[in-house]
PDB file of all heavy atoms in Angstrom:
ATOM      1  N   ALA B 169      -5.931  53.832  21.491  1.00 95.00           N
ATOM      2  CA  ALA B 169      -4.849  53.371  22.272  1.00 95.00           C
ATOM      3  C   ALA B 169      -5.083  51.743  22.514  1.00 95.00           C
ATOM      4  O   ALA B 169      -6.185  51.420  22.916  1.00 95.00           O
ATOM      5  CB  ALA B 169      -4.801  54.054  23.679  1.00 95.00           C
ATOM      6  N   ASP B 170      -4.062  51.021  22.280  1.00 96.00           N
ATOM      7  CA  ASP B 170      -4.133  49.565  22.503  1.00 96.00           C
ATOM      8  C   ASP B 170      -5.212  48.845  21.689  1.00 96.00           C
ATOM      9  O   ASP B 170      -5.518  47.664  21.997  1.00 96.00           O
ATOM     10  CB  ASP B 170      -4.183  49.232  23.991  1.00 96.00           C
ATOM     11  CG  ASP B 170      -2.967  49.464  24.767  1.00 96.00           C
ATOM     12  OD1 ASP B 170      -1.872  49.047  24.181  1.00 96.00           O
ATOM     13  OD2 ASP B 170      -3.004  49.973  25.869  1.00 96.00           O
ATOM     14  N   GLN B 171      -5.735  49.536  20.706  1.00 97.00           N
ATOM     15  CA  GLN B 171      -6.755  48.843  19.890  1.00 97.00           C
ATOM     16  C   GLN B 171      -6.185  48.609  18.530  1.00 97.00           C
ATOM     17  O   GLN B 171      -5.510  49.434  17.942  1.00 97.00           O
ATOM     18  CB  GLN B 171      -8.048  49.782  19.754  1.00 97.00           C
ATOM     19  CG  GLN B 171      -8.690  50.008  20.982  1.00 97.00           C
ATOM     20  CD  GLN B 171      -9.757  51.086  20.821  1.00 97.00           C
ATOM     21  OE1 GLN B 171     -10.084  51.497  19.710  1.00 97.00           O
ATOM     22  NE2 GLN B 171     -10.272  51.560  21.866  1.00 97.00           N
ATOM     23  N   CYS B 172      -6.490  47.505  17.935  1.00 96.00           N
ATOM     24  CA  CYS B 172      -6.183  47.247  16.554  1.00 96.00           C
ATOM     25  C   CYS B 172      -6.993  46.129  15.901  1.00 96.00           C
ATOM     26  O   CYS B 172      -7.663  45.432  16.617  1.00 96.00           O
ATOM     27  CB  CYS B 172      -4.648  46.908  16.387  1.00 96.00           C
ATOM     28  SG  CYS B 172      -4.260  45.344  17.044  1.00 96.00           S
ATOM     29  N   LEU B 173      -7.064  46.236  14.615  1.00 97.00           N
ATOM     30  CA  LEU B 173      -7.937  45.364  13.828  1.00 97.00           C
ATOM     31  C   LEU B 173      -7.309  44.878  12.555  1.00 97.00           C
ATOM     32  O   LEU B 173      -6.436  45.536  11.982  1.00 97.00           O
ATOM     33  CB  LEU B 173      -9.131  46.214  13.419  1.00 97.00           C
ATOM     34  CG  LEU B 173     -10.144  45.622  12.414  1.00 97.00           C
ATOM     35  CD1 LEU B 173     -11.546  46.109  12.770  1.00 97.00           C
ATOM     36  CD2 LEU B 173      -9.813  46.138  11.054  1.00 97.00           C
ATOM     37  N   VAL B 174      -7.470  43.597  12.269  1.00 97.00           N
ATOM     38  CA  VAL B 174      -7.110  43.048  10.949  1.00 97.00           C
ATOM     39  C   VAL B 174      -8.450  42.519  10.189  1.00 97.00           C
ATOM     40  O   VAL B 174      -9.391  42.129  10.934  1.00 97.00           O
ATOM     41  CB  VAL B 174      -6.182  41.876  11.068  1.00 97.00           C
ATOM     42  CG1 VAL B 174      -4.762  42.418  11.406  1.00 97.00           C
ATOM     43  CG2 VAL B 174      -6.537  40.762  12.020  1.00 97.00           C
ATOM     44  N   HIS B 175      -8.438  42.611   8.950  1.00 97.00           N
ATOM     45  CA  HIS B 175      -9.700  42.404   8.197  1.00 97.00           C
ATOM     46  C   HIS B 175      -9.410  41.559   6.947  1.00 97.00           C
ATOM     47  O   HIS B 175      -8.474  41.832   6.285  1.00 97.00           O
ATOM     48  CB  HIS B 175     -10.122  43.839   7.784  1.00 97.00           C
ATOM     49  CG  HIS B 175     -11.331  43.851   6.850  1.00 97.00           C
ATOM     50  ND1 HIS B 175     -11.547  44.921   5.952  1.00 97.00           N
ATOM     51  CD2 HIS B 175     -12.353  42.981   6.608  1.00 97.00           C
ATOM     52  CE1 HIS B 175     -12.612  44.653   5.301  1.00 97.00           C
ATOM     53  NE2 HIS B 175     -13.074  43.503   5.613  1.00 97.00           N
ATOM     54  N   ASN B 176     -10.281  40.583   6.732  1.00 97.00           N
ATOM     55  CA  ASN B 176     -10.251  39.988   5.542  1.00 97.00           C
ATOM     56  C   ASN B 176     -11.637  40.177   4.821  1.00 97.00           C
ATOM     57  O   ASN B 176     -12.648  39.813   5.358  1.00 97.00           O
ATOM     58  CB  ASN B 176     -10.103  38.439   5.630  1.00 97.00           C
ATOM     59  CG  ASN B 176     -10.043  37.682   4.399  1.00 97.00           C
ATOM     60  OD1 ASN B 176      -9.933  38.221   3.331  1.00 97.00           O
ATOM     61  ND2 ASN B 176     -10.222  36.366   4.455  1.00 97.00           N
ATOM     62  N   GLY B 177     -11.701  40.803   3.766  1.00 95.00           N
ATOM     63  CA  GLY B 177     -12.882  41.155   3.077  1.00 95.00           C
ATOM     64  C   GLY B 177     -12.899  42.465   2.427  1.00 95.00           C
ATOM     65  O   GLY B 177     -11.786  42.995   2.134  1.00 95.00           O
ATOM     66  N   SER B 178     -14.003  42.977   2.100  1.00 95.00           N
ATOM     67  CA  SER B 178     -14.072  44.426   1.546  1.00 95.00           C
ATOM     68  C   SER B 178     -15.427  45.023   2.040  1.00 95.00           C
ATOM     69  O   SER B 178     -16.452  44.394   2.050  1.00 95.00           O
ATOM     70  CB  SER B 178     -13.973  44.454   0.129  1.00 95.00           C
ATOM     71  OG  SER B 178     -15.017  43.660  -0.488  1.00 95.00           O
ATOM     72  N   LEU B 179     -15.325  46.200   2.415  1.00 96.00           N
ATOM     73  CA  LEU B 179     -16.529  46.944   2.867  1.00 96.00           C
ATOM     74  C   LEU B 179     -17.115  47.835   1.799  1.00 96.00           C
ATOM     75  O   LEU B 179     -16.416  48.362   0.969  1.00 96.00           O
ATOM     76  CB  LEU B 179     -16.143  47.886   4.108  1.00 96.00           C
ATOM     77  CG  LEU B 179     -15.555  47.210   5.349  1.00 96.00           C
ATOM     78  CD1 LEU B 179     -15.226  48.152   6.413  1.00 96.00           C
ATOM     79  CD2 LEU B 179     -16.512  46.077   5.800  1.00 96.00           C
ATOM     80  N   SER B 180     -18.454  47.889   1.702  1.00 96.00           N
ATOM     81  CA  SER B 180     -19.034  48.650   0.655  1.00 96.00           C
ATOM     82  C   SER B 180     -19.479  50.055   1.129  1.00 96.00           C
ATOM     83  O   SER B 180     -19.761  50.883   0.286  1.00 96.00           O
ATOM     84  CB  SER B 180     -20.230  47.892   0.068  1.00 96.00           C
ATOM     85  OG  SER B 180     -21.000  47.370   1.035  1.00 96.00           O
ATOM     86  N   ASN B 181     -19.672  50.227   2.412  1.00 97.00           N
ATOM     87  CA  ASN B 181     -20.181  51.490   2.852  1.00 97.00           C
ATOM     88  C   ASN B 181     -19.050  52.361   3.611  1.00 97.00           C
ATOM     89  O   ASN B 181     -19.371  53.157   4.452  1.00 97.00           O
ATOM     90  CB  ASN B 181     -21.436  51.400   3.713  1.00 97.00           C
ATOM     91  CG  ASN B 181     -21.161  50.694   5.036  1.00 97.00           C
ATOM     92  OD1 ASN B 181     -20.134  50.026   5.144  1.00 97.00           O
ATOM     93  ND2 ASN B 181     -22.003  50.957   6.008  1.00 97.00           N
ATOM     94  N   HIS B 182     -17.762  52.136   3.252  1.00 97.00           N
ATOM     95  CA  HIS B 182     -16.697  52.661   4.085  1.00 97.00           C
ATOM     96  C   HIS B 182     -16.588  54.222   3.845  1.00 97.00           C
ATOM     97  O   HIS B 182     -16.235  54.971   4.745  1.00 97.00           O
ATOM     98  CB  HIS B 182     -15.372  51.999   3.879  1.00 97.00           C
ATOM     99  CG  HIS B 182     -14.821  52.004   2.545  1.00 97.00           C
ATOM    100  ND1 HIS B 182     -13.831  52.817   2.036  1.00 97.00           N
ATOM    101  CD2 HIS B 182     -15.118  51.228   1.449  1.00 97.00           C
ATOM    102  CE1 HIS B 182     -13.588  52.485   0.825  1.00 97.00           C
ATOM    103  NE2 HIS B 182     -14.358  51.592   0.497  1.00 97.00           N
ATOM    104  N   ASN B 183     -17.009  54.604   2.605  1.00 96.00           N
ATOM    105  CA  ASN B 183     -16.752  56.118   2.337  1.00 96.00           C
ATOM    106  C   ASN B 183     -17.737  56.906   3.141  1.00 96.00           C
ATOM    107  O   ASN B 183     -17.380  57.914   3.736  1.00 96.00           O
ATOM    108  CB  ASN B 183     -17.011  56.402   0.924  1.00 96.00           C
ATOM    109  CG  ASN B 183     -15.627  56.013   0.136  1.00 96.00           C
ATOM    110  OD1 ASN B 183     -14.579  56.172   0.641  1.00 96.00           O
ATOM    111  ND2 ASN B 183     -15.860  55.576  -1.051  1.00 96.00           N
ATOM    112  N   ASN B 184     -18.972  56.490   3.140  1.00 97.00           N
ATOM    113  CA  ASN B 184     -20.052  57.170   3.980  1.00 97.00           C
ATOM    114  C   ASN B 184     -19.744  57.163   5.419  1.00 97.00           C
ATOM    115  O   ASN B 184     -19.749  58.150   6.080  1.00 97.00           O
ATOM    116  CB  ASN B 184     -21.398  56.453   3.741  1.00 97.00           C
ATOM    117  CG  ASN B 184     -22.438  57.496   3.187  1.00 97.00           C
ATOM    118  OD1 ASN B 184     -22.167  58.656   3.299  1.00 97.00           O
ATOM    119  ND2 ASN B 184     -23.566  56.942   2.830  1.00 97.00           N
ATOM    120  N   LEU B 185     -19.362  55.924   5.909  1.00 97.00           N
ATOM    121  CA  LEU B 185     -19.014  55.804   7.297  1.00 97.00           C
ATOM    122  C   LEU B 185     -17.780  56.702   7.692  1.00 97.00           C
ATOM    123  O   LEU B 185     -17.790  57.267   8.827  1.00 97.00           O
ATOM    124  CB  LEU B 185     -18.722  54.339   7.520  1.00 97.00           C
ATOM    125  CG  LEU B 185     -18.900  53.828   9.001  1.00 97.00           C
ATOM    126  CD1 LEU B 185     -20.215  54.192   9.587  1.00 97.00           C
ATOM    127  CD2 LEU B 185     -18.706  52.343   9.034  1.00 97.00           C
ATOM    128  N   ARG B 186     -16.815  56.770   6.838  1.00 97.00           N
ATOM    129  CA  ARG B 186     -15.608  57.617   7.036  1.00 97.00           C
ATOM    130  C   ARG B 186     -16.062  59.108   7.286  1.00 97.00           C
ATOM    131  O   ARG B 186     -15.690  59.705   8.237  1.00 97.00           O
ATOM    132  CB  ARG B 186     -14.705  57.494   5.974  1.00 97.00           C
ATOM    133  CG  ARG B 186     -13.352  58.306   6.283  1.00 97.00           C
ATOM    134  CD  ARG B 186     -12.335  58.277   5.051  1.00 97.00           C
ATOM    135  NE  ARG B 186     -11.730  56.963   4.908  1.00 97.00           N
ATOM    136  CZ  ARG B 186     -11.917  56.151   3.857  1.00 97.00           C
ATOM    137  NH1 ARG B 186     -12.774  56.578   2.957  1.00 97.00           N
ATOM    138  NH2 ARG B 186     -11.257  55.078   3.731  1.00 97.00           N
ATOM    139  N   ARG B 187     -16.956  59.448   6.464  1.00 97.00           N
ATOM    140  CA  ARG B 187     -17.477  60.891   6.587  1.00 97.00           C
ATOM    141  C   ARG B 187     -18.093  61.131   7.901  1.00 97.00           C
ATOM    142  O   ARG B 187     -17.887  62.086   8.588  1.00 97.00           O
ATOM    143  CB  ARG B 187     -18.392  61.296   5.374  1.00 97.00           C
ATOM    144  CG  ARG B 187     -17.704  61.719   4.152  1.00 97.00           C
ATOM    145  CD  ARG B 187     -18.696  62.315   3.207  1.00 97.00           C
ATOM    146  NE  ARG B 187     -19.628  61.340   2.599  1.00 97.00           N
ATOM    147  CZ  ARG B 187     -19.334  60.575   1.523  1.00 97.00           C
ATOM    148  NH1 ARG B 187     -18.196  60.705   0.884  1.00 97.00           N
ATOM    149  NH2 ARG B 187     -20.236  59.718   1.041  1.00 97.00           N
ATOM    150  N   GLU B 188     -18.977  60.170   8.291  1.00 97.00           N
ATOM    151  CA  GLU B 188     -19.643  60.261   9.615  1.00 97.00           C
ATOM    152  C   GLU B 188     -18.685  60.215  10.752  1.00 97.00           C
ATOM    153  O   GLU B 188     -18.844  61.040  11.718  1.00 97.00           O
ATOM    154  CB  GLU B 188     -20.675  59.111   9.755  1.00 97.00           C
ATOM    155  CG  GLU B 188     -21.828  59.304   8.872  1.00 97.00           C
ATOM    156  CD  GLU B 188     -22.775  58.027   8.874  1.00 97.00           C
ATOM    157  OE1 GLU B 188     -22.693  57.341   9.860  1.00 97.00           O
ATOM    158  OE2 GLU B 188     -23.561  57.926   7.893  1.00 97.00           O
ATOM    159  N   LEU B 189     -17.680  59.443  10.677  1.00 97.00           N
ATOM    160  CA  LEU B 189     -16.666  59.270  11.760  1.00 97.00           C
ATOM    161  C   LEU B 189     -15.837  60.544  11.832  1.00 97.00           C
ATOM    162  O   LEU B 189     -15.574  60.988  12.917  1.00 97.00           O
ATOM    163  CB  LEU B 189     -15.914  58.018  11.552  1.00 97.00           C
ATOM    164  CG  LEU B 189     -16.692  56.699  11.857  1.00 97.00           C
ATOM    165  CD1 LEU B 189     -15.866  55.505  11.273  1.00 97.00           C
ATOM    166  CD2 LEU B 189     -16.855  56.559  13.324  1.00 97.00           C
ATOM    167  N   ILE B 190     -15.538  61.143  10.693  1.00 97.00           N
ATOM    168  CA  ILE B 190     -14.752  62.385  10.668  1.00 97.00           C
ATOM    169  C   ILE B 190     -15.581  63.432  11.364  1.00 97.00           C
ATOM    170  O   ILE B 190     -14.970  64.265  12.154  1.00 97.00           O
ATOM    171  CB  ILE B 190     -14.374  62.721   9.282  1.00 97.00           C
ATOM    172  CG1 ILE B 190     -13.300  61.877   8.678  1.00 97.00           C
ATOM    173  CG2 ILE B 190     -13.862  64.200   9.230  1.00 97.00           C
ATOM    174  CD1 ILE B 190     -12.930  61.976   7.225  1.00 97.00           C
TER     175      ILE B 190
END
Side-chain angles (χ1 to χ4, degrees):
Chain B
D170 285 317
Q171 296 169 13
C172 66
L173 169 145
V174 289
H175 172 207
N176 179 17
S178 59
L179 301 178
S180 48
N181 65 338
H182 60 102
N183 282 327
N184 235 351
L185 201 52
R186 185 185 286 110
R187 278 193 289 273
E188 286 172 20
L189 289 165
I190 287 170

